Amino acid sequence: MSGKTVFSGIQPSGELSLGNYLGALKRFKDFQGANDSLFCVVDLHAITVRQDPAQLRQRTYSGVAWYLASGLDPAQCTLFAQSHVSAHAELAWILNTFTQMGELERMTQFKDKAARHKHNINAGLFAYPALMAADILLYDTHEVPVGDDQKQHIELARDVAERFNGIYGPTFVVPKMVAPKAAARVMDLQDPTSKMSKSVDSLGTVFLHEDEKTISKKIMKAVTDNEGMIRLDKDKQPGVYNLLAIYAACHDQTPEEALAQFTGKGYGDLKKAVAEAVVTVLAPVQARHKELMADTAQLDAVLAAGAAKARARANKKLAEVYAKIGFTPRQG
Ligand code: TYM
């Protein structure tokens, strides 16, 4: 054990995308074993947008299966569903009272989602970051491996932790975000100025379950530019930059290392190489995911064991927080 605690979560709000894989899932296995690591399917977060119950259940199983297929081993980490550990919701309530309206109003994810779901801008969607802070702070988390889009949420979790500690004395570890060295923000293949999202079903998003032909077609159709040169220029050539970042992440390289392999080559060569890299990286993960999904009873068992481990520590932390706030001790 390195002594570090690592926590991350993925919402079962849609089919997972290549962005979820390269920005988060792919590297989770590197954090298990040597660290104290927890990975969660955050179903409570998912219901901030209306979900079909059967689909939510299915996507939660699928999320667990993607975690396992990406190399997580339940013997080396704690893998669980957020709704199975009620301390998350309880601490979220407490942290709501330490989070300011103004802070929540500034969150870009809230602004984006509120714009996309105009008829359901609910209080849960607004308070989402306080629940996310609870997820992280409950376990004395040091590091949170996530994609770039979660930066604002992690900063808020840090601020809330510091605020609470400032009032009640040292209680929460102030967590740090860990971004990947490439593909921290995988962009939409059709609009490389927007994030690739699992909530947008289009040619611009590669979904993890898609077959080789579909994935290759989407990548070969990726929007580039008229510069005609492969360079790493995020502002002038966002499409090419995105392809190089995806290639780099698939090969565990930096974008600069990836660039060196394309001197004198054209956009067609680049797209072909990216398609091949993505298909190669995903093939074994997809195969394992399919096997795991055939046995949901086994996934239930993984979740049950994970929740039991998480619950014990979460309840302990919650009791510490309740005592500091001045609640009388729970008897039994
Ligand atoms: P979610 O479910 O949207 O995404 C899961 C993970 O995938 C990353 N990600 C991306 N990375 C690179 N490029 C992209 N296009 C891309 N799209 C998504 C996300 O950064 C994330 O790491 N609020 C979180 C879930 C959450 C959480 C937590 C995460 C809830 N509680 C506690 C960490 C710790 C979310 O909506 O992720």
Side-chain angles (χ1 to χ4, degrees):
M1 286 259 176
S2 71
K4 264 190 215 139
T5 299
V6 176
F7 184 98
S8 201
I10 292 186
Q11 290 195 71
S13 53
E15 301 298 338
L16 298 193
S17 76
L18 183 63
N20 297 127
Y21 186 70
L22 298 180
L25 268 174
K26 180 173 181 287
R27 42 198 198 108
F28 287 163
K29 63 177 181 309
D30 303 334
F31 290 92
Q32 69 181 351
N35 298 297
D36 163 33
S37 58
L38 300 104
F39 299 97
C40 188
V41 182
V42 290
D43 48 2
L44 297 175
H45 277 100
I47 61 161
T48 54
V49 168
R50 200 66 65 225
Q51 302 290 338
D52 169 73
Q55 204 171 46
L56 178 60
R57 207 167 290 123
Q58 184 66 10
R59 283 176 174 165
T60 301
Y61 284 128
S62 182
V64 184
W66 284 120
Y67 273 130
L68 294 169
S70 307
L72 286 186
D73 170 2
Q76 293 193 61
C77 68
T78 300
L79 178 51
F80 67 106
Q82 189 183 29
S83 63
H84 295 181
V85 181
S86 56
H88 287 247
E90 292 183 68
L91 183 62
W93 175 256
I94 304 292
L95 297 186
N96 272 326
T97 69
F98 292 88
T99 307
Q100 300 304 305
M101 299 286 283
E103 290 176 309
L104 296 172
E105 274 160 5
R106 283 197 291 277
M107 295 290 127
T108 54
Q109 186 165 308
F110 170 70
K111 288 191 231 172
D112 288 352
K113 286 200 178 169
R116 269 192 278 136
H117 302 277
K118 285 206 173 65
H119 302 294
N120 186 20
I121 306 177
N122 60 73
L125 187 65
F126 189 63
Y128 179 115
L131 176 59
M132 180 158 161
D135 300 338
I136 298 168
L137 302 184
L138 257 181
Y139 299 98
D140 292 329
T141 302
H142 301 96
E143 293 189 350
V144 189
V146 279
D148 220 30
D149 61 328
Q150 297 302 313
K151 197 168 172 189
Q152 237 189 348
H153 289 159
I154 310 284
E155 275 164 12
L156 183 65
R158 292 171 58 89
D159 290 344
V160 169
E162 278 168 355
R163 191 168 300 150
F164 193 99
N165 292 347
I167 301 170
Y168 297 99
T171 308
F172 295 123
V173 170
V174 181
K176 186 174 100 197
M177 165 174 163
V178 191
K181 61 180 178 182
R185 184 180 287 260
V186 177
M187 306 306 271
D188 187 289
L189 296 173
Q190 288 299 309
D191 172 12
T193 59
S194 313
K195 183 184 83 163
M196 182 183 281
S197 166
K198 62 167 135 39
S199 337
V200 183
D201 190 0
S202 77
L203 251 187
T205 300
V206 168
F207 291 99
L208 293 188
H209 64 270
E210 287 178 325
D211 62 23
E212 180 176 341
K213 220 171 118 200
T214 310
I215 294 177
S216 300
K217 192 179 84 190
K218 287 185 174 181
I219 294 172
M220 293 310 288
K221 287 197 170 172
V223 167
T224 48
D225 52 62
N226 298 321
E227 301 275 321
M229 279 275 283
I230 300 179
R231 278 180 302 224
L232 268 178
D233 187 335
K234 210 183 221 168
D235 298 325
K236 271 209 203 122
Q237 298 184 264
V240 169
Y241 185 95
N242 191 35
L243 290 169
L244 282 168
I246 294 172
Y247 180 90
C250 289
H251 289 279
D252 294 319
Q253 295 173 343
T254 61
E256 289 73 18
E257 285 166 337
L259 176 68
Q261 285 159 59
F262 292 98
T263 23
K265 301 229 169 113
Y267 291 173
D269 302 318
L270 173 63
K271 289 181 184 178
K272 240 166 108 182
V274 173
E276 198 182 302
V278 171
V279 166
T280 306
V281 164
L282 291 186
V285 184
Q286 291 177 328
R288 183 75 188 118
H289 181 265
K290 207 167 164 191
E291 281 170 15
L292 289 158
M293 286 302 282
D295 188 357
T296 50
Q298 194 198 332
L299 299 177
D300 279 325
V302 168
L303 288 178
K309 278 200 274 178
R311 208 176 283 133
R313 10 192 326 191
N315 285 344
K316 217 165 135 209
K317 190 78 200 176
L318 190 67
E320 182 191 340
V321 171
Y322 278 9
K324 289 205 170 164
I325 287 176
F327 295 167
T328 51
R330 268 185 204 181
Q331 305 300 331

